[in-house]
Amino acid sequence: MWTESLPAFGIIAGALAFSGFALGGLNKLFHHGEPRRYGLDDWSRTMMLRDEYITGKSQTQNADTEFSKDN
């Protein structure tokens, strides 16, 4: 009967869903909640270096207009 295959289908679907959510959680953990940047060219790498110089993190951008006065 086709109903005998439903538990196996549920287990496989659950395992695939778990792996997808786990990878999403690990991405947020290691990239500070920002999406991973794919296909970087020279301009993107230069901008990441600039962002790291300004904010201290290469994965985020800062839109603050006030800079710290201790520099």
Side-chain angles (χ1 to χ4, degrees):
M1 293 290 300
W2 64 272
T3 56
E4 295 173 354
S5 63
L6 289 179
F9 176 76
I11 291 171
I12 292 171
L16 288 173
F18 173 76
S19 65
F21 286 119
L23 284 174
L26 287 173
N27 185 31
K28 282 191 171 192
L29 177 69
F30 286 111
H31 294 289
H32 309 290
E34 298 291 323
R36 187 169 187 274
R37 297 180 179 181
Y38 294 100
L40 297 176
D41 56 357
D42 290 337
W43 175 258
S44 297
R45 286 187 194 93
T46 304
M47 291 295 107
M48 285 177 67
L49 287 173
R50 180 198 62 137
D51 294 342
E52 186 173 9
Y53 177 74
I54 293 172
T55 64
K57 298 177 186 175
S58 65
Q59 295 292 328
T60 59
Q61 295 177 353
N62 192 355
D64 293 338
T65 56
E66 300 243 348
F67 295 102
S68 62
K69 305 214 187 283
D70 56 343
N71 287 343

